[in-house]
Amino acid sequence: MQLSSSSPFAGGVLSPQYDRAKLKPGIVHIGFGAFHRAHQAVYTDTALAASFGDWGIVGVSLRSSEPIRDLKMQDHLFSVIARDASGAEPRVVGSVVGGISAANDRDGLLVLLADPAIRIVSLTVTEKAYGFDPASGGLDRRHPAIAADLVAPGAPVGVIGFLVEGLSRRKRAGLSPFTVLCCDNLPTNGRVVERLVLEMAEAQDPALASWIAAEGAFPCTMVDRIVPAATDETRRRAADLLGVEDKLALDTEPFMQWVIEDRFVSGRPEWESAGALFVADVEPYEKMKLRMLNGPHSMIAYLGQLKGLEYVKDVMAVPDYAERVRQHMAAAALTLDPVPGIDLDEYREQLIERFSNPTIAHRTKQIAMDGSQKLPQRIFAAAVDDLAAGRDAAVFAEATALWIAYVMQNPQIEDPRAAELCQASAAVDSADPSGCFLALPGLFPPRLAADRDWRDLVNAALNLELRAA
Ligand code: CS2
């Protein structure tokens, strides 16, 4: 039996506390993956139970059609199982009311984006999908989806192209824009997406860009919940717990956090009822999370991959490695301005505990992918600030060395810049082994690449790793 509205759930499963039959769509979410289901969909589910409204979510997958097919077969229901050493808390989420696979139904998605009922378009598409050029801060015109959508804006393939075409149709129809809510781990994520959307709109029609700039909203957000990619084992354990099969089942941790700038064009769900924090400026929270959580996460991923440790929890179980992680977090904390309402020492210890959660099987390989897209905001930006404060940025040099060693030892890495990284690996000069990597265009901040002492630290740590291999 599969998950459906009429499934008899095993006892103790929290299910939607509102009338799903009355729920109408108000949000389109692009990137219908595990993170969205365990995060924004859960917040919305709780908000709907607290104060119902027309805020059902239509999940969109830009590439794979499988999750949308599974979603439809399950009456748009799925489970999210929060686990830690004290046990498992399953809940069935009811906030998703529809699904579209953009690869199969581009027109369906464009019609929906221009529907007045849709007031928010939220996004979790991963860093690499945006087509952001770190050197200019604007569109990367060599990014395949950006290049295609600049040439054929009426038939978009990428996320920025869909947003611009959706907004353009709304303008023509005399509607308000939707709010674009970016939930990816990019610094000032709302502002980045706004700039990309405006640049693409400008290329098409300057009046469209002015309208979006004047009427639109792109609040920044900080999102957090550890959600490993599901496996057959996840689904089997979920079936045992739920008493029914759920193809979209997920394991996650009990912790979740969402900090959002409260700037919406036409309202929003009452996400604060689920614990979301609305603030005037998200940047301190984003920086804290990128540098104290995601930076160490990447460090753990490369360390784990180099030492043959499959999961984050395995790395954390080695006392020396856990201490390295703590030191990295402490050094990252020194690069931050005070974060309102947060004690950074407590935050660090909570992160150590979260990473050590023995029930969460988060693969180091999963986190290791796309390093070129992640490290600039997680590691390099912190290193620049640390050097500017007169410190040596040593932990960031060590994390960088782990990444380079990982790249050199894995010719098959998943990364949009894999080909260049492979070339750099092949050209390594033993006198300056990080040199070819530091010289890659638009990757390391110029001030960092030019710092001789820092480069020496990277090379020393890299030589240690390469000798240990
Ligand atoms: C991880 C993140 O895969 C990664 O790069 O660092 O997905 C991390 O688990 C989330 O940001 C936690 O909120």
Side-chain angles (χ1 to χ4, degrees):
M1 188 190 302
Q2 279 196 331
L3 201 64
S4 77
S5 303
S6 54
S7 296
F9 296 115
V13 182
L14 179 64
S15 47
Q17 302 296 302
Y18 46 88
D19 186 355
R20 284 190 82 230
K22 296 212 171 82
L23 185 56
K24 300 199 187 89
I27 301 175
V28 166
H29 182 84
I30 304 183
F32 187 71
F35 186 76
H36 167 68
R37 300 205 294 281
H39 192 275
Q40 301 91 41
V42 169
Y43 275 92
T44 306
D45 195 51
T46 302
L48 289 168
S51 58
F52 195 71
D54 294 342
W55 291 114
I57 300 171
V58 180
V60 174
S61 176
L62 282 184
R63 284 166 303 147
S64 122
S65 55
E66 211 173 301
I68 301 300
R69 196 198 56 209
D70 294 341
L71 179 72
K72 291 189 171 160
M73 275 168 56
Q74 302 186 172
D75 203 9
H76 304 109
L77 290 169
F78 53 87
S79 60
V80 170
I81 304 171
R83 294 185 189 269
D84 65 10
S86 67
E89 222 175 85
R91 94 184 252 173
V92 173
V93 176
S95 51
V96 176
V97 293
I100 295 185
S101 157
N104 298 339
D105 187 10
R106 173 196 280 142
D107 290 339
L109 175 54
L110 290 173
V111 167
L112 190 66
L113 290 174
D115 184 328
I118 298 304
R119 285 149 291 152
I120 296 176
V121 177
S122 52
L123 314 169
T124 50
V125 290
T126 79
E127 296 88 339
K128 64 175 171 240
Y130 288 96
F132 165 76
D133 175 1
S136 69
L139 288 178
D140 174 0
R141 288 167 189 258
R142 287 157 312 171
H143 185 280
I146 298 292
D149 292 349
L150 282 167
V151 175
V157 292
V159 62
I160 301 298
F162 271 108
L163 291 172
V164 171
E165 180 60 15
L167 288 164
S168 160
R169 290 183 181 209
R170 289 177 86 97
K171 178 172 181 284
R172 274 178 276 151
L175 299 173
S176 311
F178 42 70
T179 298
V180 179
L181 193 65
C182 177
C183 300
D184 276 295
N185 288 318
L186 290 162
T188 63
N189 54 10
R191 285 205 284 285
V192 168
V193 177
E194 178 173 22
R195 166 136 186 216
L196 300 180
V197 164
L198 291 179
E199 207 179 309
M200 189 173 284
E202 180 80 34
Q204 241 184 67
D205 170 12
L208 173 62
S210 322
W211 177 77
I212 298 171
E215 309 284 327
F218 297 76
C220 291
T221 69
M222 180 268 252
V223 292
D224 189 10
R225 193 168 205 185
I226 290 173
V227 193
T231 61
D232 288 343
E233 172 65 6
T234 318
R235 289 179 279 272
R236 198 190 51 69
R237 294 204 306 165
D240 286 349
L241 198 65
L242 299 163
V244 291
E245 193 194 346
D246 174 5
K247 291 214 160 85
L248 295 171
L250 293 172
D251 281 339
T252 185
E253 58 175 346
F255 180 93
M256 56 178 190
Q257 193 174 27
W258 200 3
V259 188
I260 313 170
E261 282 170 8
D262 206 355
R263 285 188 288 115
F264 288 76
V265 181
S266 313
R268 57 165 175 84
E270 199 190 286
W271 284 315
E272 56 271 55
S273 61
L277 185 64
F278 284 91
V279 299
D281 180 13
V282 168
E283 208 173 339
Y285 299 89
E286 266 177 344
K287 236 183 189 178
M288 169 187 81
K289 194 236 166 181
L290 283 167
R291 295 183 183 188
M292 288 185 72
L293 187 157
N294 296 114
H297 231 188
S298 291
M299 183 273 244
I300 291 169
Y302 301 120
L303 185 62
Q305 284 291 297
L306 291 167
K307 308 293 177 200
L309 297 168
E310 189 174 4
Y311 299 113
V312 171
K313 63 180 175 175
D314 300 339
V315 176
M316 297 305 288
V318 179
D320 281 356
Y321 296 163
E323 194 43 40
R324 255 174 102 169
V325 172
R326 181 177 273 110
Q327 279 169 15
H328 186 125
M329 289 176 183
L334 291 178
T335 71
L336 301 172
D337 294 326
V339 188
I342 298 203
D343 176 318
L344 293 178
D345 291 341
E346 275 172 26
Y347 182 70
R348 181 191 68 223
E349 291 311 309
Q350 186 186 37
L351 286 173
I352 296 281
E353 207 178 307
R354 290 171 61 197
F355 286 0
S356 308
N357 185 334
T359 62
I360 296 295
H362 203 182
R363 288 207 151 81
T364 49
K365 187 160 188 196
Q366 183 189 343
I367 304 168
M369 67 185 201
D370 295 346
S372 71
Q373 311 294 299
K374 294 175 175 176
L375 265 48
Q377 55 275 20
R378 297 179 178 203
I379 305 287
F380 308 154
V384 168
D385 287 352
D386 207 48
L387 291 174
R391 291 181 295 266
D392 62 4
V395 297
F396 308 112
E398 283 160 21
T400 304
L402 289 172
W403 172 61
I404 296 177
Y406 168 76
V407 170
M408 288 175 67
Q409 286 172 25
N410 291 278
Q412 306 292 339
I413 53 161
E414 275 189 62
D415 191 300
R417 297 187 70 174
E420 288 166 83
L421 292 169
C422 257
Q423 273 171 12
S425 299
V428 159
D429 158 14
S430 59
D432 177 22
S434 67
C436 310
F437 294 90
L438 287 159
L440 287 170
L443 186 57
F444 286 86
R447 271 161 57 207
L448 199 56
D451 192 301
R452 194 63 238 184
D453 293 339
W454 195 75
R455 175 187 295 237
D456 287 346
L457 290 175
V458 177
N459 283 337
L462 182 54
N463 281 328
L464 276 181
E465 283 311 322
L466 296 176
R467 273 201 296 274

mmCIF file of all heavy atoms in Angstrom, residues 318-347:
data_model
loop_
_atom_site.group_PDB
_atom_site.id
_atom_site.type_symbol
_atom_site.label_atom_id
_atom_site.label_comp_id
_atom_site.label_asym_id
_atom_site.label_seq_id
_atom_site.Cartn_x
_atom_site.Cartn_y
_atom_site.Cartn_z
ATOM 1 N N VAL A 318 35.646 10.379 15.321
ATOM 2 C CA VAL A 318 37.101 10.334 15.560
ATOM 3 C C VAL A 318 37.453 11.590 16.371
ATOM 4 O O VAL A 318 37.328 12.705 15.864
ATOM 5 C CB VAL A 318 37.878 10.328 14.213
ATOM 6 C CG1 VAL A 318 39.382 10.308 14.457
ATOM 7 C CG2 VAL A 318 37.419 9.168 13.334
ATOM 8 N N PRO A 319 37.862 11.428 17.640
ATOM 9 C CA PRO A 319 38.028 12.599 18.503
ATOM 10 C C PRO A 319 38.936 13.695 17.910
ATOM 11 O O PRO A 319 38.611 14.871 17.992
ATOM 12 C CB PRO A 319 38.603 12.017 19.800
ATOM 13 C CG PRO A 319 38.125 10.590 19.809
ATOM 14 C CD PRO A 319 38.059 10.156 18.378
ATOM 15 N N ASP A 320 40.029 13.311 17.260
ATOM 16 C CA ASP A 320 40.924 14.332 16.677
ATOM 17 C C ASP A 320 40.224 15.133 15.583
ATOM 18 O O ASP A 320 40.424 16.337 15.447
ATOM 19 C CB ASP A 320 42.150 13.661 16.030
ATOM 20 C CG ASP A 320 43.163 13.270 17.078
ATOM 21 O OD1 ASP A 320 42.952 13.580 18.269
ATOM 22 O OD2 ASP A 320 44.168 12.620 16.696
ATOM 23 N N TYR A 321 39.417 14.433 14.797
ATOM 24 C CA TYR A 321 38.726 15.130 13.706
ATOM 25 C C TYR A 321 37.639 16.038 14.270
ATOM 26 O O TYR A 321 37.437 17.161 13.805
ATOM 27 C CB TYR A 321 38.119 14.123 12.711
ATOM 28 C CG TYR A 321 39.136 13.272 11.987
ATOM 29 C CD1 TYR A 321 38.755 12.095 11.344
ATOM 30 C CD2 TYR A 321 40.479 13.649 11.940
ATOM 31 C CE1 TYR A 321 39.688 11.306 10.672
ATOM 32 C CE2 TYR A 321 41.421 12.868 11.274
ATOM 33 C CZ TYR A 321 41.015 11.692 10.654
ATOM 34 O OH TYR A 321 41.939 10.920 9.995
ATOM 35 N N ALA A 322 36.929 15.541 15.293
ATOM 36 C CA ALA A 322 35.869 16.370 15.901
ATOM 37 C C ALA A 322 36.498 17.642 16.468
ATOM 38 O O ALA A 322 35.931 18.733 16.371
ATOM 39 C CB ALA A 322 35.152 15.588 16.989
ATOM 40 N N GLU A 323 37.700 17.515 17.019
ATOM 41 C CA GLU A 323 38.387 18.689 17.562
ATOM 42 C C GLU A 323 38.784 19.651 16.445
ATOM 43 O O GLU A 323 38.668 20.868 16.580
ATOM 44 C CB GLU A 323 39.613 18.222 18.372
ATOM 45 C CG GLU A 323 40.228 19.294 19.252
ATOM 46 C CD GLU A 323 39.230 20.165 20.021
ATOM 47 O OE1 GLU A 323 38.215 19.643 20.537
ATOM 48 O OE2 GLU A 323 39.458 21.391 20.080
ATOM 49 N N ARG A 324 39.190 19.119 15.313
ATOM 50 C CA ARG A 324 39.516 19.979 14.162
ATOM 51 C C ARG A 324 38.280 20.742 13.696
ATOM 52 O O ARG A 324 38.353 21.905 13.326
ATOM 53 C CB ARG A 324 40.001 19.111 12.996
ATOM 54 C CG ARG A 324 41.497 19.184 12.798
ATOM 55 C CD ARG A 324 41.932 18.205 11.755
ATOM 56 N NE ARG A 324 42.201 18.864 10.460
ATOM 57 C CZ ARG A 324 42.791 18.251 9.442
ATOM 58 N NH1 ARG A 324 43.176 16.994 9.562
ATOM 59 N NH2 ARG A 324 42.997 18.884 8.304
ATOM 60 N N VAL A 325 37.154 20.041 13.713
ATOM 61 C CA VAL A 325 35.899 20.675 13.290
ATOM 62 C C VAL A 325 35.556 21.816 14.261
ATOM 63 O O VAL A 325 35.193 22.922 13.843
ATOM 64 C CB VAL A 325 34.761 19.626 13.250
ATOM 65 C CG1 VAL A 325 33.420 20.283 12.997
ATOM 66 C CG2 VAL A 325 35.052 18.563 12.196
ATOM 67 N N ARG A 326 35.724 21.525 15.551
ATOM 68 C CA ARG A 326 35.420 22.558 16.552
ATOM 69 C C ARG A 326 36.321 23.779 16.353
ATOM 70 O O ARG A 326 35.879 24.918 16.402
ATOM 71 C CB ARG A 326 35.590 21.964 17.956
ATOM 72 C CG ARG A 326 35.280 22.928 19.061
ATOM 73 C CD ARG A 326 35.387 22.316 20.452
ATOM 74 N NE ARG A 326 34.154 21.690 20.883
ATOM 75 C CZ ARG A 326 33.973 20.373 21.024
ATOM 76 N NH1 ARG A 326 34.959 19.531 20.781
ATOM 77 N NH2 ARG A 326 32.822 19.890 21.441
ATOM 78 N N GLN A 327 37.594 23.514 16.071
ATOM 79 C CA GLN A 327 38.533 24.629 15.867
ATOM 80 C C GLN A 327 38.171 25.434 14.621
ATOM 81 O O GLN A 327 38.277 26.656 14.604
ATOM 82 C CB GLN A 327 39.965 24.103 15.753
ATOM 83 C CG GLN A 327 40.549 23.833 17.128
ATOM 84 C CD GLN A 327 41.859 23.068 17.048
ATOM 85 O OE1 GLN A 327 42.484 22.971 15.997
ATOM 86 N NE2 GLN A 327 42.258 22.505 18.178
ATOM 87 N N HIS A 328 37.746 24.738 13.601
ATOM 88 C CA HIS A 328 37.331 25.443 12.384
ATOM 89 C C HIS A 328 36.132 26.353 12.704
ATOM 90 O O HIS A 328 36.097 27.524 12.324
ATOM 91 C CB HIS A 328 36.965 24.434 11.290
ATOM 92 C CG HIS A 328 36.668 25.067 9.969
ATOM 93 N ND1 HIS A 328 37.298 24.718 8.806
ATOM 94 C CD2 HIS A 328 35.799 26.056 9.607
ATOM 95 C CE1 HIS A 328 36.846 25.445 7.801
ATOM 96 N NE2 HIS A 328 35.907 26.262 8.274
ATOM 97 N N MET A 329 35.184 25.801 13.446
ATOM 98 C CA MET A 329 33.990 26.604 13.799
ATOM 99 C C MET A 329 34.375 27.813 14.647
ATOM 100 O O MET A 329 33.853 28.916 14.446
ATOM 101 C CB MET A 329 32.989 25.750 14.576
ATOM 102 C CG MET A 329 32.295 24.714 13.723
ATOM 103 S SD MET A 329 31.233 23.696 14.775
ATOM 104 C CE MET A 329 30.639 22.524 13.558
ATOM 105 N N ALA A 330 35.301 27.587 15.581
ATOM 106 C CA ALA A 330 35.698 28.695 16.464
ATOM 107 C C ALA A 330 36.396 29.781 15.651
ATOM 108 O O ALA A 330 36.146 30.982 15.845
ATOM 109 C CB ALA A 330 36.610 28.170 17.572
ATOM 110 N N ALA A 331 37.237 29.369 14.696
ATOM 111 C CA ALA A 331 37.930 30.361 13.860
ATOM 112 C C ALA A 331 36.926 31.099 12.975
ATOM 113 O O ALA A 331 37.032 32.311 12.768
ATOM 114 C CB ALA A 331 38.984 29.664 13.005
ATOM 115 N N ALA A 332 35.941 30.363 12.460
ATOM 116 C CA ALA A 332 34.917 31.007 11.623
ATOM 117 C C ALA A 332 34.139 32.031 12.449
ATOM 118 O O ALA A 332 33.819 33.129 11.968
ATOM 119 C CB ALA A 332 33.977 29.951 11.041
ATOM 120 N N ALA A 333 33.858 31.694 13.703
ATOM 121 C CA ALA A 333 33.085 32.606 14.564
ATOM 122 C C ALA A 333 33.819 33.933 14.740
ATOM 123 O O ALA A 333 33.191 34.998 14.810
ATOM 124 C CB ALA A 333 32.831 31.953 15.923
ATOM 125 N N LEU A 334 35.160 33.879 14.759
ATOM 126 C CA LEU A 334 35.938 35.110 14.938
ATOM 127 C C LEU A 334 35.784 36.068 13.751
ATOM 128 O O LEU A 334 36.077 37.256 13.868
ATOM 129 C CB LEU A 334 37.427 34.780 15.116
ATOM 130 C CG LEU A 334 37.826 34.081 16.416
ATOM 131 C CD1 LEU A 334 39.323 33.791 16.402
ATOM 132 C CD2 LEU A 334 37.477 34.957 17.624
ATOM 133 N N THR A 335 35.379 35.550 12.611
ATOM 134 C CA THR A 335 35.234 36.409 11.424
ATOM 135 C C THR A 335 33.847 37.056 11.341
ATOM 136 O O THR A 335 33.559 37.759 10.380
ATOM 137 C CB THR A 335 35.470 35.624 10.109
ATOM 138 O OG1 THR A 335 34.351 34.729 9.893
ATOM 139 C CG2 THR A 335 36.758 34.810 10.144
ATOM 140 N N LEU A 336 32.981 36.765 12.327
ATOM 141 C CA LEU A 336 31.594 37.242 12.242
ATOM 142 C C LEU A 336 31.356 38.469 13.119
ATOM 143 O O LEU A 336 31.974 38.608 14.173
ATOM 144 C CB LEU A 336 30.637 36.136 12.700
ATOM 145 C CG LEU A 336 30.689 34.829 11.915
ATOM 146 C CD1 LEU A 336 29.819 33.777 12.608
ATOM 147 C CD2 LEU A 336 30.221 35.043 10.477
ATOM 148 N N ASP A 337 30.417 39.289 12.682
ATOM 149 C CA ASP A 337 29.908 40.340 13.560
ATOM 150 C C ASP A 337 28.901 39.669 14.493
ATOM 151 O O ASP A 337 28.419 38.577 14.193
ATOM 152 C CB ASP A 337 29.196 41.415 12.726
ATOM 153 C CG ASP A 337 30.183 42.147 11.831
ATOM 154 O OD1 ASP A 337 31.351 42.322 12.266
ATOM 155 O OD2 ASP A 337 29.809 42.521 10.710
ATOM 156 N N PRO A 338 28.556 40.332 15.614
ATOM 157 C CA PRO A 338 27.566 39.712 16.502
ATOM 158 C C PRO A 338 26.264 39.401 15.743
ATOM 159 O O PRO A 338 25.864 40.150 14.856
ATOM 160 C CB PRO A 338 27.317 40.787 17.567
ATOM 161 C CG PRO A 338 28.484 41.706 17.473
ATOM 162 C CD PRO A 338 29.019 41.630 16.088
ATOM 163 N N VAL A 339 25.676 38.259 16.071
ATOM 164 C CA VAL A 339 24.431 37.855 15.410
ATOM 165 C C VAL A 339 23.303 38.013 16.436
ATOM 166 O O VAL A 339 23.356 37.369 17.499
ATOM 167 C CB VAL A 339 24.525 36.393 14.914
ATOM 168 C CG1 VAL A 339 23.314 36.037 14.065
ATOM 169 C CG2 VAL A 339 25.814 36.163 14.126
ATOM 170 N N PRO A 340 22.306 38.861 16.138
ATOM 171 C CA PRO A 340 21.286 39.144 17.153
ATOM 172 C C PRO A 340 20.649 37.885 17.729
ATOM 173 O O PRO A 340 20.228 36.998 16.989
ATOM 174 C CB PRO A 340 20.241 39.976 16.383
ATOM 175 C CG PRO A 340 20.970 40.525 15.203
ATOM 176 C CD PRO A 340 22.082 39.590 14.892
ATOM 177 N N GLY A 341 20.636 37.796 19.042
ATOM 178 C CA GLY A 341 19.942 36.694 19.720
ATOM 179 C C GLY A 341 20.707 35.384 19.721
ATOM 180 O O GLY A 341 20.161 34.370 20.161
ATOM 181 N N ILE A 342 21.942 35.362 19.204
ATOM 182 C CA ILE A 342 22.658 34.070 19.125
ATOM 183 C C ILE A 342 24.004 34.140 19.859
ATOM 184 O O ILE A 342 24.785 35.071 19.656
ATOM 185 C CB ILE A 342 22.861 33.639 17.654
ATOM 186 C CG1 ILE A 342 21.471 33.455 17.049
ATOM 187 C CG2 ILE A 342 23.728 32.363 17.561
ATOM 188 C CD1 ILE A 342 21.329 32.588 15.876
ATOM 189 N N ASP A 343 24.224 33.147 20.711
ATOM 190 C CA ASP A 343 25.511 33.003 21.381
ATOM 191 C C ASP A 343 26.333 32.031 20.523
ATOM 192 O O ASP A 343 25.966 30.862 20.367
ATOM 193 C CB ASP A 343 25.253 32.427 22.788
ATOM 194 C CG ASP A 343 26.544 32.146 23.548
ATOM 195 O OD1 ASP A 343 27.516 31.616 22.943
ATOM 196 O OD2 ASP A 343 26.574 32.426 24.742
ATOM 197 N N LEU A 344 27.412 32.531 19.938
ATOM 198 C CA LEU A 344 28.137 31.729 18.938
ATOM 199 C C LEU A 344 28.806 30.497 19.544
ATOM 200 O O LEU A 344 28.972 29.488 18.851
ATOM 201 C CB LEU A 344 29.156 32.591 18.196
ATOM 202 C CG LEU A 344 28.537 33.682 17.308
ATOM 203 C CD1 LEU A 344 29.625 34.515 16.644
ATOM 204 C CD2 LEU A 344 27.608 33.093 16.239
ATOM 205 N N ASP A 345 29.160 30.553 20.828
ATOM 206 C CA ASP A 345 29.738 29.344 21.454
ATOM 207 C C ASP A 345 28.668 28.258 21.567
ATOM 208 O O ASP A 345 28.923 27.078 21.299
ATOM 209 C CB ASP A 345 30.284 29.653 22.855
ATOM 210 C CG ASP A 345 31.514 30.548 22.781
ATOM 211 O OD1 ASP A 345 32.120 30.613 21.691
ATOM 212 O OD2 ASP A 345 31.839 31.192 23.791
ATOM 213 N N GLU A 346 27.476 28.694 21.961
ATOM 214 C CA GLU A 346 26.381 27.703 22.049
ATOM 215 C C GLU A 346 26.028 27.162 20.671
ATOM 216 O O GLU A 346 25.774 25.972 20.499
ATOM 217 C CB GLU A 346 25.119 28.353 22.645
ATOM 218 C CG GLU A 346 25.101 28.357 24.145
ATOM 219 C CD GLU A 346 23.937 29.188 24.683
ATOM 220 O OE1 GLU A 346 22.909 29.338 23.984
ATOM 221 O OE2 GLU A 346 24.085 29.709 25.808
ATOM 222 N N TYR A 347 26.017 28.051 19.703
ATOM 223 C CA TYR A 347 25.695 27.642 18.324
ATOM 224 C C TYR A 347 26.711 26.587 17.867
ATOM 225 O O TYR A 347 26.348 25.564 17.291
ATOM 226 C CB TYR A 347 25.725 28.876 17.420
ATOM 227 C CG TYR A 347 25.361 28.619 15.973
ATOM 228 C CD1 TYR A 347 24.055 28.301 15.601
ATOM 229 C CD2 TYR A 347 26.315 28.723 14.958
ATOM 230 C CE1 TYR A 347 23.718 28.077 14.270
ATOM 231 C CE2 TYR A 347 25.993 28.512 13.630
ATOM 232 C CZ TYR A 347 24.695 28.185 13.288
ATOM 233 O OH TYR A 347 24.364 27.972 11.964
#
